[in-house]
Amino acid sequence: MLKRAMFRCGQLSLRVFAVEFDLRTQPLYFTLSSNPQELHHAHQQLFGDDGKLFSLHVHSDSRIEKAQTHAEIKHKLSVTLSRDCDVFEASSFIPDVKNSVVKGYFIRDKSTTTLSEDILKTLQQSKSVYVFSYKREGQYCWQELWSPVDEIQESVRQYITPAAAAEHHPSTLNIRNSDVFYCMDEAYKVLQECNDIIPESKEVLKLVDEQLETSRADGFPVIVIEGLDATGKTTLTEALRESLNATLLKSPPQCLAPFRQRFDSEPPLIRRAFYALGNYITAAHIGKESLRAPVIVDRYWHSTAAYAIATAVGGRVENLPKPGSELYRWPEDLLQPNLVLLLTVSPEERLRRLRDRGQDKTVEEVSLHFKQTVHLQMKILS
């Protein structure tokens, strides 16, 4: 079992582990070594003497199974663990190797019950879930493959070794064609792989096949209006439509409205593929309408990419890919607009407008930092 886990997750000695211990700062990084290593102060806080420590990682050759299992575990942990348990996003990766990230969670259980062990025992029955435990002795801490107390399991002790922060947030290694799609075929394949478990996938793909004509001859200009909610997009797009006698389109397109609730409930991989295909349908509409009149588009690929990247990196500006990163490049097969306008207002004014609309104040203020991260990316993408 141990050798299988090491093989399936990649050689553990080559991997760097990251735990989002404090969302206000960068992750805590560590590697594994056969030799004891003293913990740094920050790592001592994570691997403290208080409670039982576990991590679980999800790996599968099927990306759909992997995405769904990760989402199911997140839900199960959130509704079943006691209040004495802390759960942090965690991952392991091979530095500079794309698609090497294995996602999971780190659990710190300060309770006196066996509830966390019972839950982990259930989760570990999945062939794609690997669970590790952590033990502390003085200044040293080690990781072992975990098994329930009623099972005999070979165990190899690997000591926690503090590691330097990664140059880029580890999630950026997996963003391409997973969180952000850079060609239609990649997004299309994801929904094809969902045909048996999400019947609506077939209907969406049929719409794509029927409407996909993204190429266009020289026609009227295409103007995209981008911005966060309550920045004035609706007001401006309507004004431009009237003044230019233009056609107004919105992304995602209306034809996908019946499916949005279904796909919004799916893991990011499937949800992002759905919205990526929406951009290609919008592009087909743009290609047709721009032959007859100017076209104004309310949101497009910029919003899709900005929200996806911000979510993937945990919402912190410091975690974003640097300007010029390949992750900001426009998809080669997606119709490009002639002009992109990014609307901005002060955070205070935006909050005032949202409150006037009846938006919950607390929720919006909590997500303000995330929205600022999205806005910064829209600026880069535009």
Side-chain angles (χ1 to χ4, degrees), residues 18-23 25-28 88-90 169-170 313-314 319:
V19 180
E20 302 282 356
F21 181 51
D22 185 345
L23 294 180
T25 63
Q26 61 188 1
L28 280 181
F88 308 105
E89 296 274 353
H169 192 273
V313 302
N319 292 347

Side-chain angles (χ1 to χ4, degrees), residues 149-348:
V149 294
D150 57 346
E151 294 181 15
I152 298 175
Q153 181 74 55
E154 177 190 2
S155 181
V156 175
R157 183 179 293 189
Q158 295 284 335
Y159 287 93
I160 304 302
T161 303
E167 183 179 357
H168 307 288
H169 192 273
S171 62
T172 60
L173 295 172
N174 277 31
I175 284 178
R176 188 172 185 84
N177 293 325
S178 180
D179 293 287
V180 181
F181 291 86
Y182 296 87
C183 71
M184 191 210 73
D185 286 346
E186 290 296 334
Y188 196 98
K189 289 176 185 176
V190 171
L191 262 64
Q192 279 185 318
E193 293 170 26
C194 295
N195 279 345
D196 292 337
I197 57 176
I198 306 176
E200 293 86 348
S201 295
K202 295 180 181 179
E203 299 177 64
V204 172
L205 293 178
K206 183 179 179 181
L207 283 173
V208 174
D209 293 335
E210 291 173 349
Q211 304 189 50
L212 197 60
E213 296 177 10
T214 60
S215 60
R216 69 183 180 109
D218 291 336
F220 288 91
V222 176
I223 303 172
V224 170
I225 309 299
E226 283 286 3
L228 298 175
D229 293 340
T231 53
K233 294 188 302 300
T234 300
T235 301
L236 180 58
T237 53
E238 290 292 345
L240 287 173
R241 181 182 63 81
E242 292 183 10
S243 62
L244 298 177
N245 194 25
T247 299
L248 175 59
L249 299 175
K250 295 186 178 183
S251 184
Q254 184 59 33
C255 64
L256 292 185
F259 308 103
R260 290 185 65 177
Q261 184 176 1
R262 179 67 176 88
F263 283 92
D264 281 345
S265 66
E266 291 297 328
L269 171 68
I270 301 171
R271 185 167 68 249
R272 302 304 182 194
F274 168 76
Y275 282 107
L277 292 174
N279 284 324
Y280 284 95
I281 293 176
T282 297
H285 295 169
I286 293 172
K288 296 174 183 176
E289 296 299 331
S290 63
L291 295 176
R292 297 190 282 266
V295 175
I296 310 300
V297 188
D298 186 343
R299 289 187 166 170
Y300 196 31
W301 184 80
H302 315 79
S303 283
T304 308
Y307 276 92
I309 295 174
T311 302
V313 302
R316 293 184 69 242
V317 171
E318 294 82 0
N319 292 347
L320 291 176
K322 299 292 185 283
S325 166
E326 66 172 3
L327 297 176
Y328 294 130
R329 292 178 187 169
W330 190 267
E332 293 183 0
D333 61 346
L334 182 64
L335 185 149
Q336 284 189 268
N338 300 102
L339 178 66
V340 180
L341 298 177
L342 175 61
L343 305 187
T344 64
V345 296
S346 69
E348 295 77 15

Side-chain angles (χ1 to χ4, degrees), residues 68-86:
Q68 291 195 315
T69 300
H70 185 267
E72 289 166 3
I73 289 175
K74 181 177 183 179
H75 175 71
K76 189 173 185 65
L77 294 178
S78 66
V79 300
T80 57
L81 285 178
S82 73
R83 294 182 179 179
D84 294 322
C85 289
D86 298 318

